[in-house]
Amino acid sequence: VQLQASGGGLVQAGDSLTLVCTASGLTYSRYTMTWFRQAPGKEREFVAAISGNGNNVKHLDSVKGRFFVSRDNAKKMATLQMNNLQPEDSGVYYCAANRGWLTGDYDYWGQGTQVTVSS
């Protein structure tokens, strides 16, 4: 199983980025896909999740209305659309896959992609 996160970069406040997590080696539609982020010196935090069939989504309160998680099961891809980015959104963003919904126990992790937002 492999999860590959991509799409990070250096942007200015107010800009947008789209992160993509591509999966291989698993029955993708059975897995909840979750995005996390970790800023330097801080703990990893939940950002957004989408259930295997896409019917359930959840976003961190501070990103609601700015970030949108989606998935394409045919392409085995999960996307995190990030709009109006702010410096506090900076960090390494990771995708993770698990069979449950918001269980806190994740089966697979991607390698992370860096997002840096300048003010």
Side-chain angles (χ1 to χ4, degrees):
V1 174
Q2 185 173 16
L3 300 181
Q4 182 80 28
S6 61
L10 172 62
V11 297
Q12 294 185 334
D15 286 349
S16 298
L17 278 175
T18 302
L19 304 184
V20 176
C21 178
T22 303
S24 61
L26 75 171
T27 306
Y28 186 69
S29 61
R30 295 182 180 176
Y31 286 80
T32 293
M33 297 303 297
T34 304
W35 289 96
F36 294 87
R37 66 188 181 190
Q38 187 167 21
K42 295 187 177 181
E43 293 188 355
R44 183 177 63 203
E45 70 173 345
F46 168 91
V47 176
I50 184 166
S51 61
N53 58 13
N55 289 344
N56 296 315
V57 296
K58 182 176 176 63
H59 296 83
L60 177 68
D61 283 347
S62 64
V63 307
K64 284 180 179 178
R66 298 190 299 123
F67 290 14
F68 302 93
V69 63
S70 62
R71 67 189 294 154
D72 184 334
N73 284 351
K75 295 181 178 179
K76 295 187 177 181
M77 289 172 49
T79 299
L80 184 66
Q81 175 66 42
M82 305 187 296
N83 301 321
N84 190 22
L85 283 160
Q86 300 301 312
E88 54 267 32
D89 296 318
S90 296
V92 178
Y93 282 68
Y94 300 90
C95 57
N98 73 307
R99 291 291 298 270
W101 174 245
L102 303 180
T103 62
D105 185 16
Y106 299 90
D107 299 313
Y108 307 106
W109 290 85
Q111 86 288 2
T113 185
Q114 178 72 46
V115 173
T116 304
V117 185
S118 62
S119 58

